[in-house]
Amino acid sequence: MRVLVTGGAGFLGSHLCDLLLQKGHDVIAMDNLITGDISNIAHIREERFTFIKHDVTNYIYIDGPLDAILHFASPASPVDYLELPIQTLKVGSLGTHKALGLAKSKNARFLLASTSEVYGDPKIHPQDETYWGNVNPVGPRGVYDEAKRFAEALTMAYHRYHHVDTKIVRIFNTYGPRMRINDGRVVPTFIAQALKGESLTIFGDGSQTRSFCYVSDLVDGIYRLLMSDAHDPVNIGNPKEMTIKAFASVICRLTGKPDNIVSQPLPVDDPKVRQPNIDRARALLSWEPVVDLEEGLKRTIDYFRENPHVR
Ligand code: UDP
């Protein structure tokens, strides 16, 4: 296949480019490099790989045929989308519209990177795909959550009315090499703090929960979804849930540091719990995560040790 990955220089986008090339496909990565970084794809030498610097909220032109589009362009960490609220809304709405229009004109299948954030601060736990969510549309996180909810609605509309072969993945917290050390998410933040011997900043009392999936498991699930006949949303994430406080202790232990934490205020609308129900992914894709948390974190810690200056 000839595949376009929007956000191809980002954390997930670049891992997807690697996997697609490994599977034998031709890959075009597109990114405006606002939160993505060219260093994430600098190792790729294949002639089957092309990079185009472009902001997908503007008309997308691709020469020649396309078989698939994976729409991964968006700021994705709370710190990023709070700094880039308008761009986040635009890429989820206008960018998704441009990418879907391109899929329609090229007769390409389309996969939307959606998110567990569509469930907001969930009242159903764990979250399965039939849950409609509990999102504050006017809160600071609303720019991301609502953009992704709109993107899902637009994707289903293109599927129903234009018969585009669409897929929607709802991605839960994912971690691994190529996260930006300062993107504000809990994994790079805690690892960087531990490696520097600083206190780990726990927001609130640390009783909120998350479930962390290693990036290789995630992109494997996404590839299976791309190749499947599914059209309804599918959760991809690791169901192993833990409190942020317990997570901080794991990071201290794996970096060989004493437990050293400091409390900071909880951000507005921070979800209290999050855990994917992955029954649908198991049934439709025969997928489930295989990398356990300690192994994945060791690889991630090694990456941050070797790349202490990544922006
Ligand atoms: N968090 C924290 N300390 C940090 C960064 C994040 O305690 O320095 C918490 C945050 O409040 C949230 C969880 O860790 O409850 C995961 O945050 P992240 O920004 O990684 O992603 P989210 O799951 O909230 O989208």
Side-chain angles (χ1 to χ4, degrees), residues 76-79 81 115-117 141 144-145 172-174 179 183-190 193 200-212 244-245 247-248 262 264-267 269-274:
S77 85
V79 167
Y81 52 74
T115 168
S116 57
E117 288 279 331
R141 290 177 94 102
Y144 184 66
D145 303 7
F172 283 66
N173 293 67
T174 305
M179 293 186 97
D183 86 353
R185 282 188 277 198
V186 70
V187 176
T189 304
F190 280 4
Q193 288 167 339
L200 275 57
T201 50
I202 291 195
F203 297 165
D205 63 6
S207 64
Q208 70 272 34
T209 69
R210 294 293 186 273
S211 311
F212 296 100
I244 292 302
K245 200 171 181 175
F247 184 67
V262 60
Q264 290 195 354
L266 193 65
D269 295 332
D270 197 281
K272 284 180 270 309
V273 289
R274 183 181 291 157

Coordinates of all heavy atoms in Angstrom, one line a residue, residues 76-79 81 115-117 141 144-145 172-174 179 183-190 193 200-212 244-245 247-248 262 264-267 269-274, ligand 1:
A76 N -1.1 16.5 21.6 CA -1.8 15.4 22.3 C -1.5 15.4 23.8 O -2.1 14.5 24.4 CB -1.3 14.1 21.6
S77 N -0.7 16.3 24.3 CA -0.6 16.2 25.7 C -1.3 17.4 26.3 O -1.5 18.5 25.6 CB 0.9 16.4 26.1 OG 1.3 17.7 26.1
P78 N -1.9 17.3 27.5 CA -2.6 18.4 28.1 C -1.9 19.7 28.0 O -2.4 20.8 27.7 CB -2.9 17.9 29.5 CG -3.0 16.4 29.4 CD -1.9 16.1 28.4
V79 N -0.6 19.7 28.3 CA 0.2 21.0 28.3 C 0.2 21.5 26.9 O 0.0 22.7 26.7 CB 1.7 20.7 28.8 CG1 2.6 21.9 28.5 CG2 1.7 20.4 30.3
Y81 N -2.0 21.0 24.4 CA -3.3 21.5 23.8 C -3.8 22.7 24.6 O -4.6 23.5 24.1 CB -4.3 20.5 23.5 CG -4.7 19.4 24.5 CD1 -5.5 19.8 25.6 CD2 -4.3 18.1 24.4 CE1 -5.9 18.8 26.5 CE2 -4.7 17.1 25.3 CZ -5.5 17.5 26.3 OH -5.9 16.5 27.2
T115 N -9.3 9.2 20.9 CA -8.7 9.2 22.2 C -9.7 8.8 23.3 O -10.9 9.0 23.2 CB -8.2 10.6 22.5 OG1 -7.8 10.7 23.9 CG2 -9.2 11.7 22.3
S116 N -9.1 8.2 24.4 CA -9.9 8.0 25.6 C -10.5 9.3 26.2 O -11.4 9.2 27.0 CB -9.0 7.3 26.7 OG -7.9 8.1 26.9
E117 N -10.0 10.4 25.8 CA -10.5 11.7 26.2 C -11.9 11.9 25.8 O -12.6 12.8 26.3 CB -9.6 12.9 25.7 CG -8.3 13.0 26.4 CD -8.3 13.7 27.8 OE1 -9.2 14.5 28.0 OE2 -7.5 13.3 28.6
R141 N -9.7 21.5 28.9 CA -9.5 20.3 28.1 C -10.4 20.1 26.9 O -10.2 19.3 26.1 CB -9.6 19.1 29.0 CG -8.5 18.9 30.0 CD -8.8 17.7 30.9 NE -8.1 16.5 30.4 CZ -7.0 16.0 31.0 NH1 -6.5 16.6 32.0 NH2 -6.4 15.0 30.5
Y144 N -9.4 19.8 23.2 CA -9.0 18.5 22.6 C -10.1 17.5 22.6 O -10.4 16.9 21.5 CB -7.8 17.9 23.5 CG -7.2 16.7 23.0 CD1 -6.4 16.7 21.9 CD2 -7.3 15.5 23.8 CE1 -5.8 15.5 21.4 CE2 -6.7 14.3 23.4 CZ -6.0 14.3 22.2 OH -5.3 13.2 21.8
D145 N -10.8 17.4 23.7 CA -11.9 16.3 23.8 C -12.9 16.6 22.7 O -13.4 15.6 22.0 CB -12.5 16.4 25.2 CG -11.5 16.2 26.3 OD1 -10.3 16.2 26.0 OD2 -12.0 16.1 27.4
F172 N -5.7 5.0 24.5 CA -5.5 5.3 25.9 C -4.0 5.7 26.1 O -3.2 5.5 25.3 CB -6.0 4.1 26.7 CG -7.5 4.0 26.8 CD1 -8.2 3.7 25.7 CD2 -8.1 4.2 28.1 CE1 -9.6 3.6 25.8 CE2 -9.5 4.1 28.2 CZ -10.3 3.9 27.0
N173 N -3.7 6.1 27.4 CA -2.4 6.6 27.7 C -1.3 5.7 27.2 O -1.3 4.5 27.5 CB -2.2 6.8 29.2 CG -3.1 7.9 29.8 OD1 -4.3 7.8 29.8 ND2 -2.4 8.9 30.2
T174 N -0.4 6.2 26.4 CA 0.6 5.4 25.7 C 2.0 6.1 26.0 O 2.1 7.3 26.2 CB 0.4 5.4 24.2 OG1 -0.9 4.9 24.0 CG2 1.4 4.5 23.5
M179 N 8.8 10.2 23.1 CA 8.0 11.2 23.8 C 8.9 12.4 24.0 O 10.1 12.2 24.2 CB 7.4 10.7 25.1 CG 6.4 9.6 25.0 SD 5.7 9.1 26.6 CE 4.2 10.1 26.5
D183 N 6.9 17.4 27.4 CA 5.6 17.5 26.8 C 4.5 17.6 27.9 O 3.3 17.8 27.7 CB 5.2 16.5 25.8 CG 4.7 15.2 26.3 OD1 4.7 15.0 27.6 OD2 4.3 14.3 25.5
G184 N 5.0 17.5 29.2 CA 4.1 17.6 30.3 C 3.3 16.4 30.7 O 2.7 16.4 31.8
R185 N 3.4 15.4 29.9 CA 2.7 14.1 30.3 C 3.4 13.4 31.4 O 4.6 13.6 31.6 CB 2.5 13.2 29.1 CG 1.4 13.7 28.2 CD 1.0 12.8 27.2 NE 1.9 12.9 26.0 CZ 1.6 12.5 24.8 NH1 0.5 11.8 24.6 NH2 2.4 12.7 23.8
V186 N 2.7 12.6 32.1 CA 3.2 12.1 33.4 C 4.5 11.2 33.2 O 5.4 11.2 34.0 CB 2.1 11.4 34.2 CG1 1.7 10.1 33.6 CG2 2.5 11.2 35.6
V187 N 4.5 10.4 32.1 CA 5.6 9.5 31.9 C 7.0 10.2 31.7 O 7.9 10.1 32.5 CB 5.3 8.5 30.8 CG1 6.6 7.6 30.6 CG2 4.1 7.6 31.2
P188 N 7.1 11.1 30.7 CA 8.4 11.8 30.5 C 8.7 12.7 31.7 O 9.9 12.9 32.1 CB 8.2 12.6 29.2 CG 6.8 12.6 28.9 CD 6.1 11.4 29.6
T189 N 7.6 13.3 32.3 CA 7.9 14.3 33.4 C 8.5 13.5 34.6 O 9.5 14.0 35.1 CB 6.6 14.9 33.8 OG1 6.0 15.6 32.7 CG2 6.8 16.0 34.9
F190 N 7.9 12.4 35.0 CA 8.4 11.7 36.1 C 9.8 11.1 35.8 O 10.7 11.1 36.7 CB 7.4 10.6 36.5 CG 6.2 11.0 37.3 CD1 6.0 12.3 37.6 CD2 5.3 10.0 37.8 CE1 4.9 12.7 38.4 CE2 4.2 10.4 38.6 CZ 4.0 11.7 38.8
Q193 N 12.3 13.9 35.9 CA 12.5 14.4 37.3 C 13.4 13.4 38.1 O 14.3 13.8 38.8 CB 11.2 14.6 38.0 CG 10.4 15.9 37.4 CD 9.0 15.9 37.8 OE1 8.4 14.9 38.2 NE2 8.4 17.1 37.8
L200 N 9.3 14.2 42.3 CA 8.3 13.9 41.3 C 7.0 14.7 41.6 O 6.5 14.6 42.8 CB 8.0 12.4 41.2 CG 8.9 11.6 40.3 CD1 10.3 11.8 40.7 CD2 8.5 10.2 40.3
T201 N 6.5 15.5 40.7 CA 5.3 16.4 40.9 C 4.0 15.6 40.7 O 3.6 15.4 39.6 CB 5.4 17.5 39.9 OG1 5.5 17.0 38.6 CG2 6.5 18.5 40.2
I202 N 3.4 15.2 41.8 CA 2.1 14.5 41.7 C 1.0 15.6 41.8 O 1.0 16.4 42.7 CB 2.0 13.5 42.9 CG1 2.9 12.4 42.7 CG2 0.5 13.0 43.0 CD1 2.7 11.1 43.5
F203 N 0.1 15.6 40.8 CA -1.0 16.5 40.8 C -2.1 16.0 41.7 O -2.5 14.8 41.5 CB -1.5 16.8 39.4 CG -0.4 17.4 38.5 CD1 -0.6 17.4 37.1 CD2 0.7 18.0 39.0 CE1 0.4 18.0 36.3 CE2 1.7 18.6 38.2 CZ 1.5 18.6 36.8
G204 N -2.6 16.8 42.6 CA -3.6 16.3 43.5 C -3.0 15.3 44.5 O -1.8 15.4 44.8
D205 N -3.9 14.4 45.0 CA -3.4 13.4 46.0 C -2.8 12.2 45.3 O -2.4 11.3 46.0 CB -4.5 13.1 47.0 CG -5.7 12.4 46.4 OD1 -5.6 12.1 45.2 OD2 -6.7 12.2 47.1
G206 N -2.8 12.1 44.0 CA -2.3 11.0 43.3 C -3.1 9.8 43.3 O -2.7 8.7 42.9
S207 N -4.4 9.9 43.7 CA -5.3 8.8 43.8 C -6.0 8.5 42.4 O -6.6 7.5 42.2 CB -6.4 8.9 44.8 OG -7.2 10.1 44.5
Q208 N -5.8 9.5 41.5 CA -6.4 9.3 40.1 C -5.7 8.2 39.4 O -4.5 8.0 39.7 CB -6.3 10.6 39.3 CG -5.0 11.1 38.9 CD -4.3 12.0 39.9 OE1 -4.4 11.8 41.1 NE2 -3.5 12.9 39.4
T209 N -6.4 7.5 38.6 CA -5.8 6.3 37.9 C -5.6 6.5 36.4 O -6.3 7.3 35.8 CB -6.6 5.0 38.2 OG1 -7.8 5.1 37.4 CG2 -6.9 4.8 39.6
R210 N -4.6 5.8 35.9 CA -4.4 5.7 34.5 C -3.9 4.3 34.2 O -3.5 3.6 35.1 CB -3.3 6.7 34.0 CG -3.7 8.2 34.1 CD -4.8 8.6 33.2 NE -5.1 10.0 33.2 CZ -5.9 10.6 34.1 NH1 -6.5 9.9 35.0 NH2 -6.1 11.9 34.0
S211 N -4.0 3.9 32.9 CA -3.6 2.6 32.4 C -2.6 2.8 31.3 O -3.0 3.4 30.3 CB -4.8 1.8 32.0 OG -5.8 1.9 33.0
F212 N -1.4 2.4 31.4 CA -0.3 2.8 30.4 C 0.0 1.6 29.5 O 0.3 0.5 29.9 CB 0.9 3.2 31.2 CG 0.7 4.4 32.1 CD1 0.5 4.3 33.4 CD2 0.7 5.7 31.5 CE1 0.3 5.4 34.2 CE2 0.5 6.8 32.3 CZ 0.3 6.7 33.6
I244 N -1.7 7.3 40.2 CA -0.5 8.1 39.8 C 0.6 8.0 40.9 O 1.8 8.0 40.6 CB -0.9 9.5 39.4 CG1 -1.8 9.5 38.1 CG2 0.3 10.4 39.3 CD1 -1.1 8.9 36.9
K245 N 0.1 7.9 42.1 CA 1.0 7.8 43.3 C 1.8 6.5 43.2 O 3.1 6.5 43.3 CB 0.2 7.8 44.6 CG 1.0 8.2 45.7 CD 0.1 8.4 46.9 CE 1.0 8.8 48.1 NZ 0.1 9.1 49.3
F247 N 2.3 4.8 40.5 CA 3.2 5.0 39.3 C 4.5 5.7 39.6 O 5.6 5.3 39.1 CB 2.4 5.7 38.2 CG 3.1 5.8 36.9 CD1 3.4 4.6 36.1 CD2 3.6 7.0 36.4 CE1 4.1 4.7 34.9 CE2 4.3 7.1 35.2 CZ 4.5 5.9 34.5
A248 N 4.4 6.8 40.4 CA 5.6 7.5 40.8 C 6.6 6.6 41.5 O 7.8 6.7 41.3 CB 5.2 8.7 41.7
V262 N 6.4 15.5 45.5 CA 5.8 16.7 46.0 C 4.5 16.9 45.3 O 4.3 16.5 44.2 CB 6.8 17.9 45.6 CG1 7.0 18.0 44.1 CG2 6.3 19.2 46.2
Q264 N 1.3 18.9 43.8 CA 0.9 20.2 43.1 C -0.6 20.1 42.8 O -1.2 19.1 42.8 CB 1.7 20.3 41.8 CG 3.2 20.6 42.1 CD 3.9 21.1 40.9 OE1 3.4 21.1 39.8 NE2 5.2 21.4 41.0
P265 N -1.2 21.3 42.5 CA -2.7 21.3 42.3 C -3.1 20.4 41.2 O -2.4 20.3 40.2 CB -3.0 22.8 42.1 CG -1.8 23.5 42.5 CD -0.6 22.6 42.5
L266 N -4.3 19.8 41.3 CA -4.8 19.0 40.2 C -5.3 19.9 39.1 O -6.1 20.8 39.4 CB -6.0 18.1 40.8 CG -6.5 17.0 40.0 CD1 -5.4 15.9 39.8 CD2 -7.7 16.4 40.6
P267 N -4.9 19.6 37.8 CA -5.5 20.5 36.7 C -7.0 20.4 36.7 O -7.6 19.4 37.1 CB -4.8 19.8 35.5 CG -3.7 19.1 36.0 CD -4.0 18.6 37.4
D269 N -10.6 19.6 35.5 CA -11.2 18.5 34.8 C -10.3 17.2 34.5 O -10.5 16.5 33.6 CB -11.8 18.9 33.4 CG -12.9 20.0 33.5 OD1 -13.6 19.9 34.5 OD2 -13.0 20.8 32.6
D270 N -9.3 17.1 35.4 CA -8.4 15.9 35.3 C -9.3 14.7 35.6 O -9.8 14.5 36.6 CB -7.3 16.1 36.3 CG -6.1 15.2 36.0 OD1 -6.2 14.0 36.3 OD2 -5.1 15.7 35.5
P271 N -9.4 13.7 34.6 CA -10.2 12.5 34.9 C -9.7 11.8 36.1 O -8.5 11.6 36.3 CB -10.0 11.7 33.6 CG -9.7 12.7 32.5 CD -8.8 13.7 33.2
K272 N -10.7 11.3 36.9 CA -10.3 10.6 38.2 C -9.9 9.2 37.9 O -9.1 8.6 38.7 CB -11.5 10.7 39.2 CG -11.6 12.1 39.8 CD -12.7 12.2 40.8 CE -14.0 12.7 40.2 NZ -13.9 13.9 39.3
V273 N -10.5 8.6 36.9 CA -10.1 7.2 36.6 C -10.0 7.0 35.1 O -10.7 7.8 34.4 CB -11.2 6.2 37.2 CG1 -11.1 6.1 38.7 CG2 -12.6 6.5 36.7
R274 N -9.3 6.0 34.7 CA -9.3 5.7 33.2 C -8.7 4.3 33.0 O -7.6 4.0 33.5 CB -8.4 6.7 32.4 CG -8.5 6.4 30.9 CD -7.6 7.4 30.2 NE -8.2 8.8 30.2 CZ -7.5 9.9 30.0 NH1 -6.2 9.8 29.8 NH2 -8.0 11.0 30.0
Ligands
UDP1 N1 0.3 14.1 36.4 C1 1.0 14.3 37.6 N2 2.2 14.9 37.6 C2 2.7 15.4 36.4 C3 2.0 15.2 35.2 C4 0.8 14.6 35.2 O1 0.5 13.9 38.7 O2 3.8 16.0 36.5 C5 -1.0 13.4 36.4 C6 -2.2 14.2 35.8 O3 -2.8 15.0 36.6 C7 -3.1 13.0 35.3 C8 -2.1 11.8 35.1 O4 -0.9 12.2 35.7 O5 -3.9 12.6 36.4 C9 -1.8 11.6 33.6 O6 -1.5 12.9 33.0 P1 -1.0 13.0 31.5 O7 -0.8 14.5 31.4 O8 0.1 12.1 31.3 O9 -2.2 12.6 30.6 P2 -3.8 12.5 30.8 O10 -4.1 11.1 31.1 O11 -4.3 13.4 31.9 O12 -4.3 13.0 29.5

